[in-house]
Coordinates of all heavy atoms in Angstrom, one line a residue:
M1 N -27.6 -180.3 111.2 CA -26.8 -181.3 110.5 C -26.9 -181.1 109.0 O -28.0 -181.0 108.5 CB -27.3 -182.7 110.9 CG -26.4 -183.8 110.4 SD -26.8 -185.5 110.9 CE -28.1 -185.4 112.1
D2 N -25.8 -181.0 108.3 CA -25.8 -180.8 106.9 C -26.0 -182.1 106.1 O -26.0 -183.2 106.7 CB -24.6 -180.0 106.4 CG -23.3 -180.8 106.5 OD1 -23.4 -182.1 106.7 OD2 -22.2 -180.2 106.5
I3 N -26.2 -182.0 104.8 CA -26.5 -183.1 103.9 C -25.4 -184.1 103.9 O -25.6 -185.3 103.8 CB -26.9 -182.7 102.5 CG1 -27.5 -183.8 101.7 CG2 -25.8 -182.1 101.8 CD1 -29.0 -184.0 101.8
N4 N -24.1 -183.6 104.0 CA -23.0 -184.6 104.0 C -22.9 -185.4 105.2 O -22.6 -186.6 105.2 CB -21.7 -183.8 103.8 CG -21.5 -183.2 102.4 OD1 -22.0 -183.7 101.4 ND2 -20.8 -182.1 102.3
A5 N -23.2 -184.8 106.4 CA -23.3 -185.6 107.6 C -24.4 -186.6 107.6 O -24.2 -187.7 108.0 CB -23.5 -184.6 108.8
Q6 N -25.6 -186.2 107.0 CA -26.7 -187.2 106.9 C -26.3 -188.3 106.0 O -26.6 -189.5 106.3 CB -27.9 -186.4 106.4 CG -28.5 -185.5 107.4 CD -29.7 -184.7 106.8 OE1 -30.1 -184.8 105.6 NE2 -30.3 -183.8 107.6
D7 N -25.7 -188.0 104.9 CA -25.2 -189.1 103.9 C -24.2 -190.0 104.6 O -24.3 -191.2 104.4 CB -24.6 -188.5 102.7 CG -25.6 -187.9 101.7 OD1 -26.8 -188.1 101.9 OD2 -25.2 -187.1 100.8
S8 N -23.3 -189.4 105.4 CA -22.3 -190.2 106.1 C -23.0 -191.2 107.1 O -22.6 -192.4 107.2 CB -21.3 -189.3 106.8 OG -20.3 -190.1 107.4
I9 N -23.9 -190.6 107.8 CA -24.6 -191.4 108.8 C -25.4 -192.6 108.2 O -25.4 -193.7 108.6 CB -25.5 -190.6 109.7 CG1 -24.7 -189.7 110.6 CG2 -26.5 -191.4 110.5 CD1 -25.4 -188.6 111.3
Q10 N -26.1 -192.2 107.1 CA -26.9 -193.2 106.4 C -26.0 -194.3 105.8 O -26.3 -195.5 105.9 CB -27.7 -192.6 105.2 CG -28.7 -193.5 104.6 CD -29.7 -194.1 105.5 OE1 -30.2 -193.4 106.4 NE2 -30.1 -195.3 105.4
N11 N -24.9 -193.9 105.3 CA -23.9 -194.9 104.7 C -23.4 -195.8 105.9 O -23.3 -197.0 105.7 CB -22.7 -194.2 104.1 CG -21.7 -195.1 103.5 OD1 -20.8 -195.4 104.2 ND2 -21.9 -195.5 102.3
L12 N -23.1 -195.3 107.0 CA -22.6 -196.1 108.1 C -23.6 -197.0 108.6 O -23.3 -198.2 108.9 CB -22.2 -195.1 109.3 CG -20.9 -194.4 109.1 CD1 -20.7 -193.3 110.1 CD2 -19.7 -195.3 109.1
I13 N -24.9 -196.6 108.7 CA -26.0 -197.5 109.1 C -26.1 -198.7 108.1 O -26.2 -199.8 108.4 CB -27.3 -196.7 109.2 CG1 -27.3 -195.8 110.4 CG2 -28.5 -197.7 109.3 CD1 -28.4 -194.9 110.5
Q14 N -26.1 -198.3 106.8 CA -26.3 -199.4 105.7 C -25.2 -200.4 105.7 O -25.5 -201.6 105.7 CB -26.5 -198.7 104.4 CG -27.8 -198.0 104.2 CD -27.9 -197.3 102.9 OE1 -26.9 -197.1 102.2 NE2 -29.1 -196.9 102.5
I15 N -24.0 -199.9 105.8 CA -22.8 -200.9 105.7 C -22.7 -201.7 106.9 O -22.4 -202.9 106.9 CB -21.5 -200.1 105.4 CG1 -20.4 -201.1 105.0 CG2 -21.0 -199.3 106.5 CD1 -20.5 -201.7 103.6
S16 N -23.0 -201.1 108.1 CA -22.9 -201.9 109.3 C -24.0 -202.9 109.4 O -23.8 -204.1 109.8 CB -22.9 -201.0 110.6 OG -24.1 -200.3 110.7
L17 N -25.2 -202.6 109.0 CA -26.3 -203.6 109.0 C -26.0 -204.7 108.0 O -26.3 -205.8 108.3 CB -27.6 -202.9 108.7 CG -28.2 -202.1 109.8 CD1 -29.5 -201.4 109.3 CD2 -28.5 -202.9 111.0
Y18 N -25.4 -204.3 106.9 CA -25.1 -205.4 105.9 C -24.1 -206.3 106.5 O -24.2 -207.6 106.4 CB -24.5 -204.7 104.6 CG -24.0 -205.7 103.6 CD1 -24.9 -206.4 102.8 CD2 -22.7 -205.9 103.4 CE1 -24.5 -207.3 101.8 CE2 -22.2 -206.8 102.5 CZ -23.1 -207.5 101.7 OH -22.7 -208.4 100.8
E19 N -23.0 -205.8 107.1 CA -22.0 -206.7 107.7 C -22.6 -207.5 108.8 O -22.2 -208.7 109.0 CB -20.8 -205.8 108.2 CG -19.9 -205.3 107.0 CD -18.6 -204.8 107.5 OE1 -18.0 -205.5 108.4 OE2 -18.2 -203.7 107.1
F20 N -23.4 -206.9 109.6 CA -24.1 -207.6 110.7 C -24.9 -208.8 110.2 O -24.8 -209.9 110.8 CB -25.0 -206.6 111.5 CG -25.6 -207.2 112.7 CD1 -24.9 -207.3 113.9 CD2 -26.9 -207.7 112.7 CE1 -25.5 -207.9 115.0 CE2 -27.5 -208.3 113.8 CZ -26.8 -208.4 115.0
E21 N -25.7 -208.5 109.1 CA -26.5 -209.6 108.6 C -25.6 -210.8 108.1 O -25.9 -211.9 108.2 CB -27.4 -209.1 107.5 CG -28.6 -208.4 108.0 CD -29.6 -208.2 106.9 OE1 -30.3 -209.1 106.4 OE2 -29.7 -207.0 106.4
L22 N -24.4 -210.4 107.5 CA -23.5 -211.5 107.0 C -23.0 -212.3 108.1 O -22.7 -213.5 108.0 CB -22.3 -210.8 106.3 CG -22.6 -210.2 104.9 CD1 -21.3 -209.6 104.4 CD2 -23.2 -211.2 103.9
E23 N -22.8 -211.8 109.3 CA -22.3 -212.5 110.5 C -23.4 -213.1 111.3 O -23.0 -213.9 112.2 CB -21.5 -211.5 111.4 CG -20.3 -210.9 110.7 CD -19.6 -209.9 111.6 OE1 -19.3 -210.3 112.8 OE2 -19.3 -208.8 111.2
L24 N -24.6 -212.8 111.0 CA -25.7 -213.3 111.9 C -25.8 -214.8 112.2 O -26.0 -215.2 113.3 CB -27.0 -212.8 111.3 CG -28.2 -212.7 112.2 CD1 -28.0 -211.9 113.4 CD2 -29.4 -212.2 111.4
N25 N -25.5 -215.6 111.1 CA -25.6 -217.0 111.3 C -24.5 -217.6 112.1 O -24.6 -218.8 112.5 CB -25.8 -217.7 109.9 CG -24.6 -217.5 109.1 OD1 -23.7 -216.8 109.4 ND2 -24.6 -218.2 107.9
T26 N -23.5 -216.8 112.4 CA -22.4 -217.4 113.2 C -22.5 -216.9 114.7 O -21.7 -217.3 115.5 CB -21.0 -216.9 112.7 OG1 -20.9 -215.5 112.8 CG2 -20.8 -217.3 111.3
M27 N -23.5 -216.1 115.0 CA -23.7 -215.5 116.3 C -24.6 -216.4 117.2 O -25.5 -217.0 116.7 CB -24.3 -214.1 116.3 CG -23.4 -213.1 115.6 SD -24.2 -211.5 115.6 CE -23.2 -210.6 114.5
N28 N -24.3 -216.4 118.5 CA -25.1 -217.1 119.4 C -26.1 -216.0 120.0 O -25.8 -215.3 121.0 CB -24.2 -217.7 120.6 CG -25.1 -218.4 121.6 OD1 -26.2 -218.9 121.3 ND2 -24.5 -218.6 122.7
L29 N -27.3 -216.0 119.4 CA -28.3 -215.0 119.8 C -29.0 -215.4 121.1 O -29.3 -216.6 121.2 CB -29.3 -214.8 118.7 CG -28.7 -214.3 117.3 CD1 -29.8 -214.3 116.3 CD2 -28.0 -213.0 117.5
N30 N -29.3 -214.5 122.0 CA -30.0 -214.8 123.2 C -30.8 -213.5 123.6 O -30.8 -212.5 122.9 CB -29.2 -215.3 124.3 CG -28.0 -214.4 124.7 OD1 -28.2 -213.3 125.0 ND2 -26.8 -214.9 124.5
Y31 N -31.4 -213.6 124.8 CA -32.3 -212.5 125.3 C -31.5 -211.4 126.0 O -32.1 -210.4 126.5 CB -33.4 -213.1 126.1 CG -34.4 -213.9 125.3 CD1 -34.3 -215.2 125.1 CD2 -35.4 -213.2 124.6 CE1 -35.1 -216.0 124.3 CE2 -36.3 -214.0 123.8 CZ -36.2 -215.3 123.7 OH -37.0 -216.0 122.9
E32 N -30.2 -211.6 126.2 CA -29.4 -210.7 126.9 C -28.7 -209.8 125.8 O -28.2 -210.4 124.8 CB -28.4 -211.3 127.8 CG -29.0 -212.0 129.0 CD -28.0 -212.6 130.0 OE1 -26.8 -212.1 130.0 OE2 -28.3 -213.6 130.6
K33 N -28.6 -208.5 126.1 CA -28.0 -207.6 125.1 C -26.5 -208.0 124.9 O -25.7 -208.1 125.8 CB -28.1 -206.2 125.5 CG -27.7 -205.2 124.4 CD -27.7 -203.8 124.8 CE -29.1 -203.2 124.9 NZ -29.2 -201.8 125.1
Q34 N -26.1 -208.0 123.6 CA -24.7 -208.2 123.2 C -24.4 -207.0 122.3 O -25.2 -206.3 121.9 CB -24.6 -209.5 122.4 CG -25.0 -210.8 123.2 CD -25.0 -212.0 122.3 OE1 -23.9 -212.4 121.9 NE2 -26.1 -212.5 121.9
F35 N -23.1 -206.9 122.1 CA -22.6 -205.7 121.3 C -21.7 -206.2 120.2 O -20.9 -207.1 120.4 CB -21.9 -204.7 122.1 CG -22.8 -204.1 123.1 CD1 -22.9 -204.6 124.4 CD2 -23.5 -203.0 122.8 CE1 -23.8 -204.0 125.3 CE2 -24.4 -202.4 123.7 CZ -24.5 -202.9 125.0
K36 N -21.8 -205.5 119.0 CA -20.9 -205.8 117.9 C -20.4 -204.4 117.4 O -21.3 -203.5 117.2 CB -21.6 -206.6 116.8 CG -20.7 -207.0 115.7 CD -19.9 -208.1 116.1 CE -19.0 -208.5 114.9 NZ -17.9 -209.3 115.2
S37 N -19.1 -204.2 117.2 CA -18.6 -202.9 116.8 C -18.0 -203.0 115.4 O -17.3 -204.0 115.1 CB -17.6 -202.3 117.8 OG -18.3 -202.0 119.0
Y38 N -18.1 -201.9 114.7 CA -17.5 -201.8 113.3 C -16.8 -200.5 113.2 O -17.4 -199.5 113.6 CB -18.6 -202.0 112.2 CG -19.4 -203.2 112.3 CD1 -20.6 -203.3 113.0 CD2 -18.9 -204.4 111.7 CE1 -21.3 -204.5 113.1 CE2 -19.6 -205.6 111.8 CZ -20.8 -205.6 112.4 OH -21.5 -206.8 112.5
E39 N -15.6 -200.5 112.6 CA -14.9 -199.3 112.4 C -14.7 -199.1 110.9 O -14.3 -200.0 110.2 CB -13.5 -199.4 113.1 CG -13.6 -199.4 114.6 CD -12.2 -199.4 115.2 OE1 -11.2 -199.2 114.6 OE2 -12.2 -199.7 116.4
Y40 N -15.0 -197.9 110.4 CA -14.9 -197.5 109.0 C -14.1 -196.2 108.9 O -13.9 -195.5 109.9 CB -16.3 -197.3 108.4 CG -17.2 -198.5 108.6 CD1 -18.2 -198.5 109.6 CD2 -17.0 -199.7 107.8 CE1 -19.0 -199.6 109.7 CE2 -17.8 -200.8 108.0 CZ -18.8 -200.8 109.0 OH -19.6 -201.8 109.1
A41 N -13.7 -195.9 107.6 CA -12.9 -194.7 107.4 C -13.7 -193.4 107.8 O -13.1 -192.5 108.2 CB -12.5 -194.7 105.9
N42 N -15.0 -193.5 107.7 CA -15.8 -192.2 107.9 C -16.5 -192.3 109.3 O -17.4 -191.4 109.5 CB -16.8 -192.0 106.8 CG -17.8 -193.1 106.6 OD1 -17.5 -194.2 106.9 ND2 -18.9 -192.8 106.0
G43 N -16.3 -193.3 110.1 CA -16.9 -193.3 111.4 C -17.0 -194.7 112.0 O -16.5 -195.7 111.4
N44 N -17.7 -194.8 113.1 CA -17.8 -196.1 113.8 C -19.3 -196.4 114.2 O -20.0 -195.4 114.4 CB -17.0 -196.1 115.1 CG -15.5 -195.8 114.9 OD1 -14.9 -196.4 114.0 ND2 -15.0 -194.9 115.7
V45 N -19.6 -197.7 114.2 CA -20.9 -198.1 114.6 C -20.9 -199.2 115.6 O -20.1 -200.1 115.5 CB -21.7 -198.6 113.4 CG1 -23.1 -199.0 113.8 CG2 -21.8 -197.5 112.3
T46 N -21.6 -199.1 116.7 CA -21.8 -200.1 117.7 C -23.2 -200.6 117.6 O -24.1 -199.7 117.7 CB -21.4 -199.7 119.1 OG1 -20.0 -199.3 119.1 CG2 -21.6 -200.8 120.1
I47 N -23.4 -201.9 117.5 CA -24.8 -202.4 117.5 C -25.0 -203.2 118.7 O -24.3 -204.2 119.0 CB -25.0 -203.3 116.2 CG1 -24.8 -202.5 114.9 CG2 -26.5 -203.9 116.2 CD1 -24.9 -203.3 113.7
G48 N -26.0 -202.8 119.5 CA -26.5 -203.6 120.6 C -27.6 -204.4 120.1 O -28.5 -203.9 119.4
F49 N -27.7 -205.7 120.4 CA -28.7 -206.6 119.9 C -29.1 -207.6 120.9 O -28.3 -208.1 121.7 CB -28.3 -207.2 118.6 CG -27.0 -208.0 118.7 CD1 -27.1 -209.4 118.8 CD2 -25.8 -207.4 118.6 CE1 -25.9 -210.2 118.9 CE2 -24.6 -208.2 118.7 CZ -24.7 -209.6 118.8
Y50 N -30.4 -208.0 120.9 CA -30.9 -209.1 121.7 C -32.2 -209.6 121.1 O -32.9 -208.8 120.4 CB -31.1 -208.6 123.1 CG -32.0 -207.4 123.3 CD1 -33.4 -207.5 123.5 CD2 -31.4 -206.1 123.2 CE1 -34.2 -206.4 123.7 CE2 -32.2 -205.0 123.3 CZ -33.6 -205.1 123.6 OH -34.4 -204.0 123.7
L51 N -32.6 -210.8 121.4 CA -33.8 -211.4 121.0 C -35.0 -210.8 121.7 O -35.0 -210.7 123.0 CB -33.8 -212.9 121.1 CG -32.9 -213.7 120.2 CD1 -32.8 -215.1 120.6 CD2 -33.5 -213.6 118.8
L52 N -36.1 -210.5 121.0 CA -37.3 -210.1 121.6 C -38.2 -211.3 121.8 O -39.0 -211.5 122.7 CB -38.1 -209.1 120.8 CG -37.4 -207.7 120.7 CD1 -38.1 -206.8 119.7 CD2 -37.4 -207.1 122.1
D53 N -38.1 -212.3 120.8 CA -38.8 -213.6 120.9 C -38.0 -214.5 119.9 O -36.9 -214.1 119.5 CB -40.3 -213.5 120.5 CG -40.5 -212.9 119.1 OD1 -39.7 -213.1 118.2 OD2 -41.5 -212.2 119.0
D54 N -38.5 -215.6 119.6 CA -37.8 -216.6 118.8 C -37.5 -216.1 117.3 O -36.7 -216.7 116.7 CB -38.6 -217.9 118.7 CG -38.6 -218.7 120.0 OD1 -37.8 -218.4 120.9 OD2 -39.5 -219.6 120.2
E55 N -38.2 -215.1 116.9 CA -38.1 -214.7 115.5 C -37.7 -213.3 115.3 O -37.4 -212.8 114.2 CB -39.4 -214.9 114.7 CG -39.9 -216.3 114.7 CD -41.2 -216.5 113.9 OE1 -41.9 -215.4 113.7 OE2 -41.6 -217.6 113.6
L56 N -37.6 -212.5 116.4 CA -37.4 -211.0 116.3 C -36.2 -210.6 117.1 O -36.1 -210.8 118.3 CB -38.7 -210.3 116.7 CG -38.9 -208.9 116.2 CD1 -38.8 -208.8 114.7 CD2 -40.2 -208.3 116.7
L57 N -35.3 -209.9 116.4 CA -34.1 -209.4 117.0 C -34.2 -207.9 117.1 O -34.5 -207.2 116.1 CB -32.9 -209.8 116.1 CG -31.5 -209.6 116.7 CD1 -31.2 -210.4 117.9 CD2 -30.4 -209.9 115.6
K58 N -33.9 -207.3 118.3 CA -33.9 -205.9 118.5 C -32.5 -205.4 118.2 O -31.5 -205.9 118.8 CB -34.4 -205.5 119.9 CG -34.3 -204.1 120.2 CD -35.5 -203.3 119.6 CE -35.5 -201.9 120.1 NZ -36.7 -201.2 119.6
L59 N -32.4 -204.3 117.4 CA -31.1 -203.7 117.1 C -31.1 -202.3 117.6 O -32.0 -201.5 117.3 CB -30.8 -203.8 115.6 CG -30.8 -205.1 115.0 CD1 -30.6 -205.0 113.5 CD2 -29.8 -206.0 115.5
E60 N -30.0 -201.9 118.3 CA -29.8 -200.5 118.7 C -28.5 -200.0 118.2 O -27.5 -200.5 118.7 CB -29.9 -200.4 120.2 CG -31.3 -200.8 120.8 CD -31.3 -200.9 122.3 OE1 -30.3 -200.9 122.9 OE2 -32.4 -201.1 122.8
L61 N -28.5 -199.1 117.2 CA -27.2 -198.7 116.6 C -26.8 -197.3 117.2 O -27.6 -196.4 117.3 CB -27.4 -198.5 115.1 CG -27.5 -199.8 114.3 CD1 -28.8 -200.5 114.4 CD2 -27.1 -199.5 112.8
N62 N -25.6 -197.3 117.5 CA -24.9 -196.0 118.0 C -23.9 -195.7 116.9 O -22.9 -196.3 116.8 CB -24.3 -196.2 119.3 CG -23.8 -194.9 119.9 OD1 -24.4 -193.9 119.7 ND2 -22.8 -195.0 120.8
V63 N -24.2 -194.6 116.1 CA -23.3 -194.2 115.0 C -22.6 -192.9 115.4 O -23.1 -192.0 115.9 CB -24.2 -193.9 113.8 CG1 -23.3 -193.5 112.6 CG2 -25.1 -195.1 113.4
E64 N -21.2 -193.0 115.2 CA -20.4 -191.8 115.4 C -19.6 -191.5 114.2 O -18.8 -192.3 113.7 CB -19.5 -192.0 116.6 CG -18.8 -190.7 117.0 CD -18.1 -190.8 118.3 OE1 -18.2 -191.8 119.1 OE2 -17.3 -189.9 118.6
T65 N -19.7 -190.3 113.6 CA -19.0 -189.9 112.5 C -17.6 -189.3 112.9 O -17.4 -189.1 114.1 CB -19.7 -188.8 111.7 OG1 -19.8 -187.6 112.4 CG2 -21.1 -189.2 111.3
L66 N -16.7 -189.1 111.9 CA -15.4 -188.5 112.2 C -15.5 -187.1 112.8 O -14.7 -186.6 113.5 CB -14.6 -188.5 111.0 CG -14.1 -189.9 110.5 CD1 -13.3 -189.7 109.2 CD2 -13.4 -190.7 111.5
D67 N -16.7 -186.4 112.4 CA -16.9 -185.1 112.9 C -17.5 -185.1 114.3 O -18.0 -184.1 114.8 CB -17.9 -184.3 112.0 CG -17.3 -184.2 110.6 OD1 -16.0 -184.1 110.5 OD2 -18.1 -184.1 109.7
E68 N -17.6 -186.3 114.9 CA -18.1 -186.5 116.3 C -19.6 -186.2 116.4 O -20.1 -185.9 117.5 CB -17.3 -185.7 117.3 CG -15.8 -186.1 117.4 CD -15.0 -185.4 118.4 OE1 -15.6 -184.4 119.1 OE2 -13.9 -185.7 118.6
I69 N -20.3 -186.4 115.3 CA -21.7 -186.4 115.4 C -22.2 -187.8 115.8 O -21.8 -188.8 115.2 CB -22.3 -186.0 114.0 CG1 -21.9 -184.6 113.6 CG2 -23.8 -186.2 114.0 CD1 -22.3 -184.3 112.2
I70 N -23.0 -187.8 116.8 CA -23.5 -189.1 117.3 C -25.0 -189.2 117.0 O -25.8 -188.3 117.2 CB -23.3 -189.2 118.9 CG1 -21.8 -189.2 119.2 CG2 -24.0 -190.5 119.4 CD1 -21.5 -189.2 120.6
Y71 N -25.4 -190.4 116.4 CA -26.7 -190.6 116.0 C -27.1 -192.0 116.5 O -26.4 -192.9 116.4 CB -26.8 -190.6 114.5 CG -28.2 -190.8 113.9 CD1 -29.1 -189.8 113.9 CD2 -28.6 -192.0 113.5 CE1 -30.4 -189.9 113.4 CE2 -29.9 -192.2 113.0 CZ -30.8 -191.2 112.9 OH -32.0 -191.4 112.5
R72 N -28.3 -192.1 117.1 CA -28.8 -193.4 117.6 C -30.0 -193.8 116.8 O -30.9 -193.0 116.5 CB -29.1 -193.3 119.1 CG -27.9 -193.1 119.9 CD -28.2 -193.0 121.4 NE -27.0 -193.0 122.2 CZ -26.2 -191.9 122.4 NH1 -26.6 -190.8 121.9 NH2 -25.1 -192.0 123.1
F73 N -30.0 -195.1 116.4 CA -31.0 -195.6 115.6 C -31.5 -197.0 116.1 O -30.6 -197.8 116.5 CB -30.5 -195.7 114.1 CG -31.4 -196.4 113.2 CD1 -32.5 -195.7 112.6 CD2 -31.2 -197.7 112.7 CE1 -33.3 -196.3 111.7 CE2 -32.0 -198.3 111.8 CZ -33.1 -197.6 111.3
S74 N -32.7 -197.2 116.1 CA -33.2 -198.5 116.6 C -34.2 -199.1 115.6 O -34.9 -198.5 114.9 CB -34.0 -198.2 117.9 OG -34.5 -199.4 118.5
T75 N -34.0 -200.5 115.5 CA -34.9 -201.2 114.5 C -35.0 -202.6 115.0 O -34.4 -203.0 116.0 CB -34.3 -201.1 113.1 OG1 -35.3 -201.6 112.1 CG2 -33.0 -201.9 113.0
E76 N -35.8 -203.4 114.3 CA -36.0 -204.8 114.6 C -35.7 -205.6 113.3 O -35.9 -205.1 112.2 CB -37.4 -205.1 115.1 CG -37.6 -204.4 116.4 CD -39.1 -204.5 116.8 OE1 -39.9 -204.9 116.1 OE2 -39.3 -204.0 118.0
M77 N -35.3 -206.8 113.5 CA -34.9 -207.7 112.3 C -35.5 -209.1 112.6 O -35.4 -209.6 113.7 CB -33.4 -207.8 112.2 CG -32.9 -208.7 111.1 SD -31.0 -208.8 111.2 CE -30.6 -207.1 110.6
I78 N -36.1 -209.6 111.5 CA -36.5 -211.0 111.6 C -35.4 -212.0 111.4 O -34.6 -211.8 110.5 CB -37.6 -211.3 110.6 CG1 -38.8 -210.4 110.8 CG2 -38.0 -212.8 110.6 CD1 -39.9 -210.5 109.8
V79 N -35.2 -213.0 112.3 CA -34.1 -213.9 112.2 C -34.6 -215.3 111.9 O -35.8 -215.6 112.1 CB -33.3 -214.0 113.5 CG1 -32.5 -212.7 113.7 CG2 -34.2 -214.2 114.8

């Protein structure tokens, strides 16, 4: 994977997590996995998310660039 693809993937992760955080207070979070999708000019991101406990949200990002590079990223977020 070249540096431009890495930059594109990083950008998609950052912008989708930012938008996800903005919407977080309007979501009904629970222990069952839910999905939120975002479409951008340089690719798409689908975030699967569910509560691990009362304060911790598990996020599983599936990032796809316009060049059809697929990258999966997992993290946790305090809610």
Side-chain angles (χ1 to χ4, degrees):
M1 182 175 356
D2 67 18
I3 191 91
N4 290 333
Q6 290 175 0
D7 285 346
S8 181
I9 289 168
Q10 188 61 39
N11 180 269
L12 288 165
I13 289 171
Q14 288 176 345
I15 192 78
S16 63
L17 285 177
Y18 176 77
E19 286 194 45
F20 183 82
E21 281 191 75
L22 290 178
E23 298 178 48
L24 199 55
N25 62 354
T26 64
M27 294 182 194
N28 183 20
L29 303 176
N30 58 57
Y31 293 93
E32 293 185 28
K33 189 184 283 190
Q34 302 175 67
F35 295 92
K36 186 77 180 160
S37 294
Y38 301 95
E39 294 183 13
Y40 304 104
N42 60 337
N44 302 314
V45 179
T46 299
I47 301 176
F49 58 97
Y50 56 93
L51 287 171
L52 292 173
D53 59 35
D54 290 342
E55 298 179 348
L56 200 57
L57 189 65
K58 177 74 171 184
L59 303 176
E60 298 170 347
L61 286 77
N62 189 29
V63 181
E64 185 171 353
T65 67
L66 292 180
D67 299 331
E68 298 182 356
I69 296 172
I70 297 174
Y71 181 81
R72 289 181 175 82
F73 175 76
S74 180
T75 190
E76 295 172 352
M77 177 184 290
I78 296 173
V79 291

